[in-house]
PDB file of all heavy atoms in Angstrom:
ATOM      1  N   GLY Y 201     115.463 170.956 189.548  1.00 98.00           N
ATOM      2  CA  GLY Y 201     116.118 171.239 190.786  1.00 98.00           C
ATOM      3  C   GLY Y 201     115.384 172.196 191.664  1.00 98.00           C
ATOM      4  O   GLY Y 201     115.384 172.116 192.892  1.00 98.00           O
ATOM      5  N   GLU Y 205     114.386 172.953 196.052  1.00 98.00           N
ATOM      6  CA  GLU Y 205     114.510 174.167 196.878  1.00 98.00           C
ATOM      7  C   GLU Y 205     113.186 174.630 197.387  1.00 98.00           C
ATOM      8  O   GLU Y 205     113.026 175.044 198.573  1.00 98.00           O
ATOM      9  CB  GLU Y 205     115.228 175.257 196.033  1.00 98.00           C
ATOM     10  CG  GLU Y 205     116.616 174.854 195.583  1.00 98.00           C
ATOM     11  CD  GLU Y 205     117.346 175.985 194.806  1.00 98.00           C
ATOM     12  OE1 GLU Y 205     116.927 177.150 194.885  1.00 98.00           O
ATOM     13  OE2 GLU Y 205     118.344 175.645 194.164  1.00 98.00           O
ATOM     14  N   HIS Y 212     109.870 173.496 205.589  1.00 98.00           N
ATOM     15  CA  HIS Y 212     110.460 174.097 206.749  1.00 98.00           C
ATOM     16  C   HIS Y 212     109.593 175.196 207.321  1.00 98.00           C
ATOM     17  O   HIS Y 212     109.471 175.385 208.565  1.00 98.00           O
ATOM     18  CB  HIS Y 212     111.824 174.757 206.334  1.00 98.00           C
ATOM     19  CG  HIS Y 212     112.560 175.400 207.442  1.00 98.00           C
ATOM     20  ND1 HIS Y 212     113.008 174.781 208.564  1.00 98.00           N
ATOM     21  CD2 HIS Y 212     112.791 176.735 207.687  1.00 98.00           C
ATOM     22  CE1 HIS Y 212     113.595 175.608 209.400  1.00 98.00           C
ATOM     23  NE2 HIS Y 212     113.437 176.805 208.926  1.00 98.00           N
ATOM     24  N   THR Y 228     106.805 161.368 180.213  1.00 88.00           N
ATOM     25  CA  THR Y 228     107.420 162.684 179.878  1.00 88.00           C
ATOM     26  C   THR Y 228     107.512 162.734 178.344  1.00 88.00           C
ATOM     27  O   THR Y 228     107.104 161.773 177.657  1.00 88.00           O
ATOM     28  CB  THR Y 228     108.833 162.802 180.468  1.00 88.00           C
ATOM     29  OG1 THR Y 228     109.737 161.953 179.762  1.00 88.00           O
ATOM     30  CG2 THR Y 228     108.879 162.469 181.914  1.00 88.00           C
ATOM     31  N   ASP Y 230     110.000 162.524 176.390  1.00 90.00           N
ATOM     32  CA  ASP Y 230     110.895 161.480 175.809  1.00 90.00           C
ATOM     33  C   ASP Y 230     110.344 160.056 175.948  1.00 90.00           C
ATOM     34  O   ASP Y 230     110.829 159.115 175.299  1.00 90.00           O
ATOM     35  CB  ASP Y 230     112.290 161.531 176.417  1.00 90.00           C
ATOM     36  CG  ASP Y 230     113.198 162.497 175.652  1.00 90.00           C
ATOM     37  OD1 ASP Y 230     112.693 163.138 174.708  1.00 90.00           O
ATOM     38  OD2 ASP Y 230     114.390 162.649 176.072  1.00 90.00           O
ATOM     39  N   SER Y 238     114.136 157.068 188.783  1.00 94.00           N
ATOM     40  CA  SER Y 238     113.691 155.935 189.595  1.00 94.00           C
ATOM     41  C   SER Y 238     113.308 156.404 190.982  1.00 94.00           C
ATOM     42  O   SER Y 238     113.291 155.630 191.925  1.00 94.00           O
ATOM     43  CB  SER Y 238     114.836 154.928 189.724  1.00 94.00           C
ATOM     44  OG  SER Y 238     115.516 154.718 188.537  1.00 94.00           O
ATOM     45  N   ASP Y 240     111.492 157.727 194.350  1.00 97.00           N
ATOM     46  CA  ASP Y 240     110.240 157.643 195.099  1.00 97.00           C
ATOM     47  C   ASP Y 240     109.836 159.024 195.524  1.00 97.00           C
ATOM     48  O   ASP Y 240     110.249 159.524 196.599  1.00 97.00           O
ATOM     49  CB  ASP Y 240     110.429 156.740 196.294  1.00 97.00           C
ATOM     50  CG  ASP Y 240     109.178 156.555 197.172  1.00 97.00           C
ATOM     51  OD1 ASP Y 240     108.197 157.326 196.962  1.00 97.00           O
ATOM     52  OD2 ASP Y 240     109.144 155.626 197.956  1.00 97.00           O
ATOM     53  N   ALA Y 247     110.207 163.412 203.318  1.00 98.00           N
ATOM     54  CA  ALA Y 247     111.464 163.704 203.962  1.00 98.00           C
ATOM     55  C   ALA Y 247     111.682 165.212 204.166  1.00 98.00           C
ATOM     56  O   ALA Y 247     112.578 165.606 204.922  1.00 98.00           O
ATOM     57  CB  ALA Y 247     112.622 163.144 203.071  1.00 98.00           C
ATOM     58  N   ASP Y 413     121.363 182.566 202.387  1.00 96.00           N
ATOM     59  CA  ASP Y 413     122.462 182.206 203.352  1.00 96.00           C
ATOM     60  C   ASP Y 413     123.690 183.149 203.252  1.00 96.00           C
ATOM     61  O   ASP Y 413     124.799 182.690 203.421  1.00 96.00           O
ATOM     62  CB  ASP Y 413     122.898 180.753 203.118  1.00 96.00           C
ATOM     63  CG  ASP Y 413     123.701 180.230 204.306  1.00 96.00           C
ATOM     64  OD1 ASP Y 413     123.257 180.444 205.482  1.00 96.00           O
ATOM     65  OD2 ASP Y 413     124.784 179.606 204.102  1.00 96.00           O
ATOM     66  N   THR Y 415     123.406 186.511 204.685  1.00 97.00           N
ATOM     67  CA  THR Y 415     122.847 187.658 205.375  1.00 97.00           C
ATOM     68  C   THR Y 415     123.940 188.680 205.723  1.00 97.00           C
ATOM     69  O   THR Y 415     123.785 189.864 205.469  1.00 97.00           O
ATOM     70  CB  THR Y 415     122.036 187.243 206.610  1.00 97.00           C
ATOM     71  OG1 THR Y 415     120.931 186.497 206.182  1.00 97.00           O
ATOM     72  CG2 THR Y 415     121.561 188.435 207.395  1.00 97.00           C
ATOM     73  N   ARG Y 479     114.165 186.224 184.992  1.00 98.00           N
ATOM     74  CA  ARG Y 479     113.457 186.454 183.746  1.00 98.00           C
ATOM     75  C   ARG Y 479     111.963 186.490 183.980  1.00 98.00           C
ATOM     76  O   ARG Y 479     111.246 187.265 183.367  1.00 98.00           O
ATOM     77  CB  ARG Y 479     113.863 185.356 182.764  1.00 98.00           C
ATOM     78  CG  ARG Y 479     113.305 185.653 181.355  1.00 98.00           C
ATOM     79  CD  ARG Y 479     113.802 184.656 180.327  1.00 98.00           C
ATOM     80  NE  ARG Y 479     113.870 185.299 179.001  1.00 98.00           N
ATOM     81  CZ  ARG Y 479     112.988 185.003 178.005  1.00 98.00           C
ATOM     82  NH1 ARG Y 479     112.001 184.140 178.228  1.00 98.00           N
ATOM     83  NH2 ARG Y 479     113.104 185.610 176.861  1.00 98.00           N
ATOM     84  N   GLU Y 510     130.523 188.862 183.229  1.00 98.00           N
ATOM     85  CA  GLU Y 510     129.506 189.037 182.168  1.00 98.00           C
ATOM     86  C   GLU Y 510     128.125 189.278 182.694  1.00 98.00           C
ATOM     87  O   GLU Y 510     127.206 189.484 181.924  1.00 98.00           O
ATOM     88  CB  GLU Y 510     129.504 187.763 181.290  1.00 98.00           C
ATOM     89  CG  GLU Y 510     128.887 186.505 181.954  1.00 98.00           C
ATOM     90  CD  GLU Y 510     129.860 185.742 182.851  1.00 98.00           C
ATOM     91  OE1 GLU Y 510     130.839 186.325 183.308  1.00 98.00           O
ATOM     92  OE2 GLU Y 510     129.591 184.541 183.066  1.00 98.00           O
TER      93      GLU Y 510
ATOM     94  N   GLY F 412     119.334 173.279 194.377  1.00 98.00           N
ATOM     95  CA  GLY F 412     118.462 172.485 193.548  1.00 98.00           C
ATOM     96  C   GLY F 412     119.202 171.485 192.637  1.00 98.00           C
ATOM     97  O   GLY F 412     118.732 170.394 192.411  1.00 98.00           O
ATOM     98  N   GLU F 416     118.782 167.198 191.087  1.00 98.00           N
ATOM     99  CA  GLU F 416     118.932 166.684 189.729  1.00 98.00           C
ATOM    100  C   GLU F 416     120.063 165.690 189.636  1.00 98.00           C
ATOM    101  O   GLU F 416     119.935 164.635 189.022  1.00 98.00           O
ATOM    102  CB  GLU F 416     119.138 167.835 188.728  1.00 98.00           C
ATOM    103  CG  GLU F 416     118.001 168.884 188.736  1.00 98.00           C
ATOM    104  CD  GLU F 416     118.147 169.980 187.701  1.00 98.00           C
ATOM    105  OE1 GLU F 416     119.014 169.853 186.798  1.00 98.00           O
ATOM    106  OE2 GLU F 416     117.379 170.957 187.792  1.00 98.00           O
ATOM    107  N   HIS F 423     119.336 156.765 189.473  1.00 98.00           N
ATOM    108  CA  HIS F 423     118.696 156.107 188.351  1.00 98.00           C
ATOM    109  C   HIS F 423     119.710 155.315 187.528  1.00 98.00           C
ATOM    110  O   HIS F 423     119.400 154.190 187.080  1.00 98.00           O
ATOM    111  CB  HIS F 423     118.001 157.107 187.439  1.00 98.00           C
ATOM    112  CG  HIS F 423     117.393 156.546 186.252  1.00 98.00           C
ATOM    113  ND1 HIS F 423     116.247 155.682 186.373  1.00 98.00           N
ATOM    114  CD2 HIS F 423     117.668 156.590 184.928  1.00 98.00           C
ATOM    115  CE1 HIS F 423     115.879 155.277 185.137  1.00 98.00           C
ATOM    116  NE2 HIS F 423     116.721 155.810 184.257  1.00 98.00           N
ATOM    117  N   THR F 439     125.510 176.638 208.647  1.00 88.00           N
ATOM    118  CA  THR F 439     125.725 177.365 207.395  1.00 88.00           C
ATOM    119  C   THR F 439     126.243 178.763 207.795  1.00 88.00           C
ATOM    120  O   THR F 439     126.373 179.080 208.940  1.00 88.00           O
ATOM    121  CB  THR F 439     124.389 177.484 206.582  1.00 88.00           C
ATOM    122  OG1 THR F 439     123.501 178.393 207.225  1.00 88.00           O
ATOM    123  CG2 THR F 439     123.705 176.141 206.426  1.00 88.00           C
ATOM    124  N   ASP F 441     124.724 181.607 207.643  1.00 90.00           N
ATOM    125  CA  ASP F 441     123.786 182.359 208.425  1.00 90.00           C
ATOM    126  C   ASP F 441     123.570 181.873 209.820  1.00 90.00           C
ATOM    127  O   ASP F 441     122.957 182.568 210.667  1.00 90.00           O
ATOM    128  CB  ASP F 441     122.404 182.455 207.673  1.00 90.00           C
ATOM    129  CG  ASP F 441     122.385 183.647 206.694  1.00 90.00           C
ATOM    130  OD1 ASP F 441     123.403 184.364 206.634  1.00 90.00           O
ATOM    131  OD2 ASP F 441     121.346 183.789 205.995  1.00 90.00           O
ATOM    132  N   SER F 449     114.524 171.806 207.362  1.00 94.00           N
ATOM    133  CA  SER F 449     114.094 170.791 208.324  1.00 94.00           C
ATOM    134  C   SER F 449     114.111 169.409 207.660  1.00 94.00           C
ATOM    135  O   SER F 449     113.471 168.469 208.091  1.00 94.00           O
ATOM    136  CB  SER F 449     112.619 171.035 208.792  1.00 94.00           C
ATOM    137  OG  SER F 449     112.433 172.376 209.059  1.00 94.00           O
ATOM    138  N   ASP F 451     115.002 165.723 206.114  1.00 97.00           N
ATOM    139  CA  ASP F 451     115.712 164.488 206.469  1.00 97.00           C
ATOM    140  C   ASP F 451     116.523 164.100 205.267  1.00 97.00           C
ATOM    141  O   ASP F 451     116.009 163.414 204.346  1.00 97.00           O
ATOM    142  CB  ASP F 451     114.702 163.439 206.866  1.00 97.00           C
ATOM    143  CG  ASP F 451     115.378 162.139 207.188  1.00 97.00           C
ATOM    144  OD1 ASP F 451     116.564 161.937 206.857  1.00 97.00           O
ATOM    145  OD2 ASP F 451     114.706 161.212 207.765  1.00 97.00           O
ATOM    146  N   ALA F 458     115.425 157.833 198.977  1.00 98.00           N
ATOM    147  CA  ALA F 458     114.211 157.900 198.084  1.00 98.00           C
ATOM    148  C   ALA F 458     114.647 157.945 196.593  1.00 98.00           C
ATOM    149  O   ALA F 458     113.888 157.681 195.695  1.00 98.00           O
ATOM    150  CB  ALA F 458     113.334 159.083 198.393  1.00 98.00           C
ATOM    151  N   ASP F 624     115.097 165.733 178.191  1.00 96.00           N
ATOM    152  CA  ASP F 624     113.697 165.416 177.854  1.00 96.00           C
ATOM    153  C   ASP F 624     113.123 166.104 176.637  1.00 96.00           C
ATOM    154  O   ASP F 624     111.944 166.379 176.583  1.00 96.00           O
ATOM    155  CB  ASP F 624     112.799 165.599 179.081  1.00 96.00           C
ATOM    156  CG  ASP F 624     111.455 164.806 178.892  1.00 96.00           C
ATOM    157  OD1 ASP F 624     111.450 163.657 178.475  1.00 96.00           O
ATOM    158  OD2 ASP F 624     110.392 165.417 179.098  1.00 96.00           O
ATOM    159  N   THR F 626     114.367 165.060 173.326  1.00 97.00           N
ATOM    160  CA  THR F 626     115.101 164.363 172.309  1.00 97.00           C
ATOM    161  C   THR F 626     114.531 164.636 170.880  1.00 97.00           C
ATOM    162  O   THR F 626     115.283 164.949 169.963  1.00 97.00           O
ATOM    163  CB  THR F 626     115.103 162.847 172.611  1.00 97.00           C
ATOM    164  OG1 THR F 626     115.842 162.640 173.810  1.00 97.00           O
ATOM    165  CG2 THR F 626     115.756 162.054 171.481  1.00 97.00           C
ATOM    166  N   ARG F 690     128.803 178.402 182.570  1.00 98.00           N
ATOM    167  CA  ARG F 690     129.941 179.258 182.965  1.00 98.00           C
ATOM    168  C   ARG F 690     131.127 178.409 183.441  1.00 98.00           C
ATOM    169  O   ARG F 690     132.285 178.657 183.155  1.00 98.00           O
ATOM    170  CB  ARG F 690     129.492 180.188 184.108  1.00 98.00           C
ATOM    171  CG  ARG F 690     130.570 181.217 184.445  1.00 98.00           C
ATOM    172  CD  ARG F 690     130.065 182.266 185.492  1.00 98.00           C
ATOM    173  NE  ARG F 690     130.776 183.521 185.276  1.00 98.00           N
ATOM    174  CZ  ARG F 690     131.727 183.981 186.122  1.00 98.00           C
ATOM    175  NH1 ARG F 690     132.091 183.287 187.169  1.00 98.00           N
ATOM    176  NH2 ARG F 690     132.312 185.130 185.890  1.00 98.00           N
ATOM    177  N   GLU F 721     117.212 187.556 174.922  1.00 98.00           N
ATOM    178  CA  GLU F 721     118.485 188.078 175.461  1.00 98.00           C
ATOM    179  C   GLU F 721     119.528 187.003 175.543  1.00 98.00           C
ATOM    180  O   GLU F 721     120.675 187.336 175.978  1.00 98.00           O
ATOM    181  CB  GLU F 721     118.247 188.724 176.812  1.00 98.00           C
ATOM    182  CG  GLU F 721     117.918 187.758 177.984  1.00 98.00           C
ATOM    183  CD  GLU F 721     116.479 187.304 178.073  1.00 98.00           C
ATOM    184  OE1 GLU F 721     115.811 187.395 177.053  1.00 98.00           O
ATOM    185  OE2 GLU F 721     116.089 186.838 179.158  1.00 98.00           O
TER     186      GLU F 721
END
Side-chain angles (χ1 to χ4, degrees):
Chain Y
E205 300 184 14
H212 179 66
T228 71
D230 272 0
S238 316
D240 179 345
D413 197 46
T415 295
R479 188 173 208 255
E510 70 278 22
Chain F
E416 300 184 14
H423 179 67
T439 72
D441 272 359
S449 317
D451 179 345
D624 197 46
T626 295
R690 188 174 208 254
E721 70 278 22

